Amino acid sequence: MGITLDTALASLVANKRRVSALKSLGVTTVGDALTYYPFRVADPVRLSTIREAQLGQQMAFVASVRDVRVVPGRTFRVIATVDDADFARARNMPGGTAQLTFFGGRKNYIDWVSMRLKSSPTLVVSGMPSEYMGQLQFTHPDFMTIAPPSPVVNGTGISGGAAAGSPVPSSLKYDADSLDDAILRVTRPRPVYHANSRISSEHIHETILNLLWMMGARTSTQPGGAAGTSVAAAAALVPPSTESIAVQSGEGEVSPVDSSAGNLPVDDRLSYAIPDILPEQVRSARGLLHRAEAFLAIHDPDSRSRFNNAIETLRYEEAFVSQISLLKARQHAHRSNAHACKLDAGSTDAAPADASSTGATSAGATAQQDTSRNASHDGSQGNLRDRFIASLPFSLTAGQRQVIDDIAADLSGDCPMQRLLQGEVGSGKTVVALAAMLQAVGAGYQTVLVAPTQVLAEQHYETIVTMLARVDETNVCSDSSGESDTVSNIKSDTTAHAASVSSASTAIPVTLLTGGMKLAARRKALAAAASGAPGIIVATHAAFSKTFQAPRLALVVIDEQHRFGVEQRESLNAKTDDGTTPHLLVMTATPIPRTAAMTWFGDLDISWLTELPGGRKPIRTVVVNESDVPTMVRMFQHIRQRIDAGERAYIVCPRIDADDESGEASAERNRAAEDNGRRSASRGRGGSRKAGSVGIDDPYETYDENGETVARPPLHSVEEIAGRLQKLPQFDGVRFATLTGRDKDDVKTQVMADFAAGATPVLVSTTVIEVGVDVKQASCIVIFDADRYGLSQLHQLRGRVGRGGTNSWAFLVSRAEPGSIAEQRLEVIHHSLDGAEIAQADLEFRGAGDVLGDAQSGGKSSLKLLRVVKDADMIADARSRAERILAADPELTDDVQLAGAVLDFTRGNETFLTSS
């Protein structure tokens, strides 16, 4: 059976502990392993004798272990005395001695190091020499243990001990099978991988090399040995032992590919097993490597330049596949038909049932209306959208006017609008969206606004009803609880389905549909939608359920688009009864840099709202070190003063309670089960529990120089902080409330109502309040473990305060070490209120996939190398070439591998692509 990129590691790797350890890193298939790229490459090291050592210059040597001592104390030390007499003699040099010193506060680490040193009488050591008390010393050097020759019994290899009378624990695994192999790996550029306590970088590297050998690789990326090694040794990959891999039944040696490739030269089999994705003309024009060659050059590089060339190849491949995917998504959208929602500035007559003959004025004339002249619409004349704009108690910003006009032009056409609306928190996206929805309703169609949470959906519903009440107090018909009969206010004849609601005598139905509604109210809301009557539906994930039908759906507005997958959004296309595709407007307040937006939302037209409505004061941001007790006390005293002044305060924690191991992601991230009232815990990449699973949008893992994760203190929880704060004298007599994703929907609604009314002026919450919660009296927000959040998420949380025109404060409570990267991140949010600037910094700190929601969804992005900011020119080149490829072959019939990669990308990046 052939090995492919989809082959499970469990079927190839005999060591089940290693399989489990790799799974904890998200590596379960051959493809996962090959795309588990090293985070750095160690420079080639000069092979020398100990006598040739020069202080401060990296070197490698072969040594014999003479003595290993563990020195106890406040910090444990392991001191190994080694000499290179045998190695130096082979180089006609006198031998020398040195000490290898290791420090550690953990006894298990010290035991592990000493056990490795004792297990192998010969080591290959790489490090920087220094001098201590007249003795040459290497502090924390890299070293590789070498397996002793195995005695042969009846033709079967049996592992022997490290030395006679010195049994080695079975848990130890040698780093190299031979001295030549160890020298080759130490003296060549060495990939270093992110590792953990269960598996080292060396063992990750070994596994990947074994997989490449099984797939057909037999030589390194380029013949030529390192200093002190033979050409043959430098060019050969060491075959894996049968203790490392699982030999398939009936095989004398591991067959790298199936029989159809059996007659190929050995190294060509790797190209057969890993076919190229990029079209040949693109690869040649860019001077890129074959995909198989690139993988080999990354995981077994013979030079840094070769490694860099391989990274460039696979980075361009990611750019090219992503741009092909976006362009095909745009092609797909443009081939569909949509309802033309034309504005009729003067008529108040009902539109005919045939949507194609609305009798409206031309799109060109209506789209150019100056919506800034709110007063020019007197509320009793003109189309519904313009009467709404005229009724607003404030003037639209120039940005809002421009975006409304752009959307009007899109909606007037019969090609589905595909538009992303990005705006700062509080920039007025809801007003823009409501104007668009009223244009669709005014043309006789249905529109749905989908929000990611019930709290936000209810808030949108109340806001829309209030705004429409200003248009005509008597004409707003609402159905949030099922007690008011929306359906009875809608004409039952078939022409009513397309009736224009421009006239002042026609109600504007607004229906709320959530997963937490009682059955009777839910059925009534579903019946209102299924009637096809013109109106606005505000929904949660319930809109994606099979029971929701809106036969005359013309416009879908999705708030906080990164909370939804493409399959959910695409499901709304099936709600219509005439085969049309609804217009799509997706909104986000999550700051996305323009370069990232152009990359990931290249299938959309993009609008930005950069102006904030007048009256909002800038939020003062303060970074507080949690260990600074006096500052913490002053912070709580300040919050009490604001509460006594009638204001409110949020306290945000990443976890629900101390035992919350599965995380708050069940409510914060995976809302898809909301329509049946259930919550399901989200898994991080590869099933490992990361910070993103406890309400934090992306883990900022900290790694040591060997790629291993550094332990950090446990995250604070809502239960813990609420209990602590209520005992403080500053909050004596103040009522607290808590809000988490585990709470039932009716509990959430009541908690938010009490908080807004001031009954419970302090709300201790998880990040469930991150999006859309709007309490005008909230003036303070305290975010615990702020150093563990992404900048974009901190900016979103900060936007929950200052919405009522009062002074407001955001306190970022941190346990970041001075001078650390975490502290640098907080300084960005401390000094800036500009969402674009913050998003740019966030992107540079961690990458596009995480900023745009990869970690939030628990999905696995296929984009691991592409850098949206630094690779902007590469992305532009890839888009240009992708356009030419698709122009010549729209269905990619001549590039089967590319077509498959595009399909895989689309499926694996649902949080990035808006349509497929």
Side-chain angles (χ1 to χ4, degrees):
M1 180 178 176
I3 300 173
T4 70
L5 297 181
D6 294 324
T7 302
L9 292 185
S11 66
L12 301 175
V13 180
N15 187 330
K16 299 309 175 187
R17 286 188 179 182
R18 184 171 296 188
V19 172
S20 176
L22 288 167
K23 185 177 180 180
S24 73
L25 298 174
V27 178
T28 60
T29 68
V30 173
D32 292 337
L34 295 183
T35 57
Y36 193 80
Y37 300 117
F39 72 94
R40 70 181 176 91
V41 174
D43 289 325
V45 180
R46 179 175 56 93
L47 193 64
S48 308
T49 65
I50 291 178
R51 294 289 184 117
E52 295 174 302
Q54 298 181 20
L55 299 183
Q57 291 190 13
Q58 194 84 6
M59 63 172 288
F61 60 95
V62 180
S64 299
V65 181
R66 296 304 178 210
D67 177 61
V68 178
R69 294 181 295 128
V70 176
V71 182
R74 222 156 92 191
T75 299
F76 291 97
R77 281 186 299 160
V78 176
I79 301 175
T81 303
V82 300
D83 72 58
D84 69 342
D86 295 337
F87 175 66
R89 188 181 306 112
R91 297 169 67 92
N92 297 317
M93 294 283 293
T97 62
Q99 287 188 340
L100 313 182
T101 305
F102 302 84
F103 299 90
R106 294 177 299 168
K107 185 66 164 56
N108 59 345
Y109 167 74
I110 293 298
D111 291 342
W112 176 73
V113 171
S114 63
M115 209 164 14
R116 288 188 67 211
L117 290 167
K118 292 175 182 178
S119 71
S120 175
T122 304
L123 305 174
V124 177
V125 183
S126 172
M128 182 122 18
S130 61
E131 189 176 4
Y132 178 70
M133 298 182 65
Q135 174 73 49
L136 191 68
Q137 176 177 274
F138 292 81
T139 303
H140 282 281
D142 293 330
F143 67 93
M144 298 189 70
T145 59
I146 301 166
S150 298
V152 177
V153 179
N154 296 329
T156 303
I158 302 174
S159 292
S166 178
V168 179
S170 60
S171 60
L172 278 176
K173 172 71 173 68
Y174 297 105
D175 298 316
D177 292 326
S178 67
L179 180 60
D180 283 345
D181 177 32
I183 292 174
L184 174 64
R185 288 161 63 179
V186 166
T187 56
R188 293 176 62 173
R190 186 166 53 87
V192 182
Y193 302 82
H194 283 313
N196 59 26
S197 59
R198 299 180 62 186
I199 186 169
S200 67
S201 173
E202 281 295 337
H203 287 167
I204 295 172
H205 187 211
E206 176 191 61
T207 301
I208 295 173
L209 291 183
N210 288 348
L211 293 173
L212 287 168
W213 189 91
M214 284 188 276
M215 298 179 80
R218 292 294 183 273
T219 60
S220 64
T221 56
Q222 183 174 311
T229 64
S230 68
V231 172
L237 281 183
V238 178
S241 68
T242 55
E243 294 178 0
S244 301
I245 61 172
V247 179
Q248 305 299 314
S249 175
E251 292 179 321
E253 69 171 63
V254 180
S255 176
V257 288
D258 61 29
S259 59
S260 61
N263 296 323
L264 292 173
V266 172
D267 283 322
D268 285 349
R269 295 182 185 179
L270 185 65
S271 299
Y272 183 91
I274 307 175
D276 213 354
I277 288 176
L278 292 175
E280 178 61 31
Q281 65 267 37
V282 173
R283 186 160 67 88
S284 299
R286 293 281 303 187
L288 303 175
L289 302 176
H290 188 283
R291 192 172 198 233
E293 190 180 6
F295 279 132
L296 192 54
I298 285 175
H299 296 295
D300 188 36
D302 63 349
S303 69
R304 184 172 289 276
S305 62
R306 189 73 168 172
F307 174 86
N308 292 338
N309 193 6
I311 290 290
E312 183 82 357
T313 293
L314 295 179
R315 185 171 284 149
Y316 190 88
E317 178 187 289
E318 290 184 358
F320 191 80
V321 171
S322 68
Q323 293 309 302
I324 286 278
S325 301
L326 291 167
L327 290 169
K328 284 184 69 65
R330 197 175 184 90
Q331 285 179 353
H332 174 76
H334 287 174
R335 285 197 294 264
S336 304
N337 293 320
H339 292 296
C341 304
K342 298 180 181 295
L343 286 170
D344 187 346
S347 173
T348 60
D349 296 331
D354 182 2
S356 66
S357 56
T358 60
T361 56
S362 68
T366 57
Q368 297 302 320
Q369 296 178 65
D370 184 3
T371 57
S372 66
R373 293 193 288 271
N374 297 31
S376 68
H377 306 277
D378 64 8
S380 61
Q381 299 178 355
N383 60 68
L384 181 58
R385 188 206 69 175
D386 289 346
R387 287 192 289 115
F388 160 69
I389 293 171
S391 72
L392 294 173
F394 51 83
S395 296
L396 298 176
T397 66
Q400 286 174 313
R401 295 195 298 267
Q402 181 61 54
V403 173
I404 288 174
D405 286 343
D406 291 342
I407 291 174
D410 290 345
L411 292 177
S412 298
D414 57 6
C415 178
M417 175 180 72
Q418 303 274 299
R419 184 171 291 274
L420 170 68
L421 174 59
Q422 179 180 336
E424 286 281 2
V425 174
S427 60
K429 297 185 295 297
T430 303
V431 171
V432 172
L434 184 51
M437 288 189 285
L438 291 177
Q439 180 172 337
V441 174
Y445 298 106
Q446 294 173 294
T447 179
V448 61
L449 168 61
V450 186
T453 68
Q454 174 158 331
V455 171
L456 183 53
E458 290 172 345
Q459 189 166 289
H460 277 316
Y461 170 79
E462 293 167 2
T463 300
I464 291 171
V465 169
T466 301
M467 286 184 168
L468 293 184
R470 298 192 189 103
V471 180
D472 191 335
E473 295 275 348
T474 64
N475 290 341
V476 177
C477 172
S478 63
D479 187 11
S480 64
S481 65
E483 296 180 6
S484 59
D485 192 354
T486 301
V487 182
S488 66
N489 292 320
I490 301 172
K491 297 179 181 179
S492 60
D493 59 85
T494 55
T495 60
H497 287 179
S500 171
V501 291
S502 301
S503 65
S505 62
T506 305
I508 306 170
V510 184
T511 303
L512 178 66
L513 176 63
T514 72
M517 296 174 70
K518 292 182 179 179
L519 183 60
R522 182 182 174 89
R523 284 177 174 172
K524 192 164 288 189
L526 289 171
S531 72
I536 296 172
I537 303 159
V538 182
T540 57
H541 286 75
F544 302 125
S545 68
K546 294 181 179 179
T547 56
F548 175 75
Q549 295 295 324
R552 290 191 59 78
L553 183 62
L555 171 64
V556 175
V557 179
I558 295 182
D559 196 10
E560 287 308 318
Q561 58 79 29
H562 66 281
R563 299 297 187 92
F564 301 96
V566 66
E567 290 180 354
Q568 291 175 314
R569 292 190 291 264
E570 287 287 306
S571 70
L572 291 173
N573 291 344
K575 305 300 182 182
T576 61
D577 61 357
D578 54 7
T580 58
T581 299
H583 298 282
L584 177 67
L585 175 65
V586 293
M587 305 190 298
T588 183
T590 301
I592 302 172
R594 287 176 182 257
T595 51
M598 294 301 291
T599 301
W600 300 125
F601 302 106
D603 58 331
L604 303 179
D605 297 308
I606 304 174
S607 298
W608 279 272
L609 288 178
T610 56
E611 304 170 76
L612 291 180
R616 292 199 65 174
K617 297 181 180 180
I619 302 168
R620 304 174 191 178
T621 304
V622 182
V623 179
V624 181
N625 191 311
E626 190 173 337
S627 62
D628 185 352
V629 176
T631 303
M632 293 285 287
V633 169
R634 290 196 300 272
M635 176 184 73
F636 291 132
Q637 289 172 340
H638 173 80
I639 293 172
R640 177 58 188 262
Q641 292 172 3
R642 303 323 306 163
I643 291 172
D644 291 342
E647 297 169 8
R648 316 279 187 272
Y650 296 105
I651 312 291
V652 179
C653 306
R655 290 203 298 173
I656 298 176
D657 53 43
D659 298 325
D660 179 23
E661 291 300 320
S662 61
E664 175 69 348
S666 55
E668 311 300 337
R669 302 298 174 203
N670 281 2
R671 308 278 179 189
E674 182 176 320
D675 57 328
N676 58 14
R678 296 192 300 271
R679 302 290 187 265
S680 57
S682 171
R683 293 185 176 90
R685 297 184 190 181
S688 60
R689 189 180 75 82
K690 291 198 172 190
S693 68
V694 284
I696 289 177
D697 71 344
D698 177 64
Y700 280 102
E701 293 286 11
T702 304
Y703 298 95
D704 62 19
E705 63 179 6
N706 293 319
E708 297 194 11
T709 55
V710 176
R712 294 183 289 183
L715 298 165
H716 288 300
S717 68
V718 169
E719 181 183 65
E720 168 212 351
I721 293 299
R724 281 172 50 186
L725 297 189
Q726 290 180 80
K727 296 176 183 178
L728 294 178
Q730 292 93 332
F731 296 111
D732 186 34
V734 175
R735 290 185 62 196
F736 280 65
T738 62
L739 183 68
T740 74
R742 287 183 187 168
D743 295 329
K744 294 183 178 180
D745 293 326
D746 57 341
V747 173
K748 290 179 184 177
T749 302
Q750 186 60 51
V751 167
M752 290 307 302
D754 291 344
F755 179 65
T760 51
V762 179
L763 179 62
V764 185
S765 162
T766 59
T767 53
V768 70
I769 64 152
E770 177 187 345
V771 176
V773 173
D774 187 3
V775 177
K776 305 295 184 187
Q777 301 89 343
S779 63
C780 296
I781 184 167
V782 179
I783 305 171
F784 279 92
D785 293 307
D787 52 304
R788 308 279 286 275
Y789 289 80
L791 296 184
S792 295
Q793 191 176 26
L794 286 176
H795 184 62
Q796 281 272 60
L797 288 167
R798 179 171 60 179
R800 296 312 102 208
V801 299
R803 305 172 77 88
T806 61
N807 290 321
S808 54
W809 294 264
F811 299 97
L812 309 180
V813 180
S814 164
R815 289 182 280 185
E817 295 291 331
S820 64
I821 295 296
E823 186 181 60
Q824 295 175 31
R825 289 198 309 268
L826 292 181
E827 284 304 302
V828 172
I829 202 89
H830 177 208
H831 293 292
S832 178
L833 293 171
D834 186 338
E837 180 182 336
I838 291 168
Q840 185 78 10
D842 210 13
L843 194 63
E844 292 170 358
F845 274 120
R846 54 178 177 162
D850 294 326
V851 171
L852 300 182
D854 175 80
Q856 289 151 326
S857 69
K860 293 174 66 178
S861 168
S862 58
L863 298 164
K864 299 181 179 181
L865 298 174
L866 191 63
R867 304 160 302 181
V868 172
V869 177
K870 294 181 179 179
D871 299 325
D873 291 342
M874 176 185 289
I875 293 167
D877 180 87
R879 189 173 186 86
S880 174
R881 296 179 190 275
E883 288 171 344
R884 293 198 291 271
I885 291 290
L886 287 177
D889 184 8
E891 300 303 323
L892 300 177
T893 53
D894 295 333
D895 292 291
V896 177
Q897 296 298 332
L898 176 59
V902 168
L903 182 61
D904 290 341
F905 176 88
T906 304
R907 289 172 175 169
N909 293 273
E910 292 179 354
T911 52
F912 303 144
L913 294 175
T914 301
S915 58
S916 64

